[in-house]
Amino acid sequence: VWQNTDTNKSLIFSKDEVWDGKTGRIEGLIRDWTKWQDKPDKYPFEIFRRLIERMAPPEMGVLKVGDPTRIPFDSREMPTILHSYGEVPIIHESAGIRRILTLAYLIVWVWNEHKIVSEQFSKKMEKQIVILVDEIEAHLHPKWQRTILPALLDTSKILGSEIEIQLIVASHSPLVLASSESFFKSDIDKL
């Protein structure tokens, strides 16, 4: 869901629309990824790439972006992730990695759209972003559950140091909760 505060309208996308697009609303992760990767200035691809690397599962090391490739029976250029065992098209990645790619894409897509709309209407860009995630632990290995919240909080460092991030996260995992111990401040954070 993306809330446009100027028009007070929300955009709500299905999982398939986020990955494959919705005409006139969102290009989708697959098309945007390859389009951003091919841009000479690499914006917003470099932010997206850095966010993916930061959100990588600890047991897999850094998720490195590969070159787009074609796969059988699909006419699109398909983004890939480099692993120690080879290059994997993103549609063949595990559910956990696909979930993190989706989350990283939506964060960058919303921020980029906000930047574009702000420029079009000569408005000052907001400095705050709210990220709402339900069941953040879904499909994530327990080690990954311990690192996902700190990684999301580092999003502000990747998007821009002046940006404030507010996370609203629902979870059944005690590991996700435990991961917040090192940065939880009882005077401003809530449980």
Side-chain angles (χ1 to χ4, degrees), residues 22-41:
K22 182 175 182 179
T23 304
R25 297 287 185 202
I26 188 171
E27 288 293 314
L29 184 146
I30 294 171
R31 276 186 291 224
D32 273 341
W33 181 325
T34 55
K35 182 174 68 175
W36 294 346
Q37 193 170 5
D38 285 343
K39 288 175 86 173
D41 66 354

Side-chain angles (χ1 to χ4, degrees), residues 144-173:
W144 206 352
Q145 292 177 27
R146 295 264 320 172
T147 62
I148 193 61
L149 281 183
L152 277 176
L153 285 172
D154 282 350
T155 299
S156 63
K157 296 174 188 166
I158 295 169
L159 290 176
S161 59
E162 72 283 353
I163 297 168
E164 295 177 27
I165 302 267
Q166 179 181 5
L167 287 179
I168 302 173
V169 177
S171 177
H172 295 98
S173 170

Side-chain angles (χ1 to χ4, degrees), residues 98-166:
R98 286 195 319 263
R99 183 170 168 87
I100 295 306
L101 293 176
T102 301
L103 183 57
Y105 168 68
L106 287 172
I107 290 168
V108 174
W109 180 81
V110 165
W111 191 251
N112 189 52
E113 288 298 307
H114 173 63
K115 180 181 178 187
I116 290 168
V117 170
S118 295
E119 289 171 0
Q120 287 174 338
F121 292 98
S122 300
K123 289 196 167 200
K124 185 177 175 184
M125 283 188 65
E126 294 292 329
K127 300 294 182 188
Q128 299 172 327
I129 187 169
V130 177
I131 299 172
L132 173 65
V133 185
D134 187 23
E135 294 186 12
I136 196 164
E137 76 280 1
H139 306 293
L140 300 184
H141 184 281
K143 287 182 182 177
W144 206 352
Q145 292 177 27
R146 295 264 320 172
T147 62
I148 193 61
L149 281 183
L152 277 176
L153 285 172
D154 282 350
T155 299
S156 63
K157 296 174 188 166
I158 295 169
L159 290 176
S161 59
E162 72 283 353
I163 297 168
E164 295 177 27
I165 302 267
Q166 179 181 5

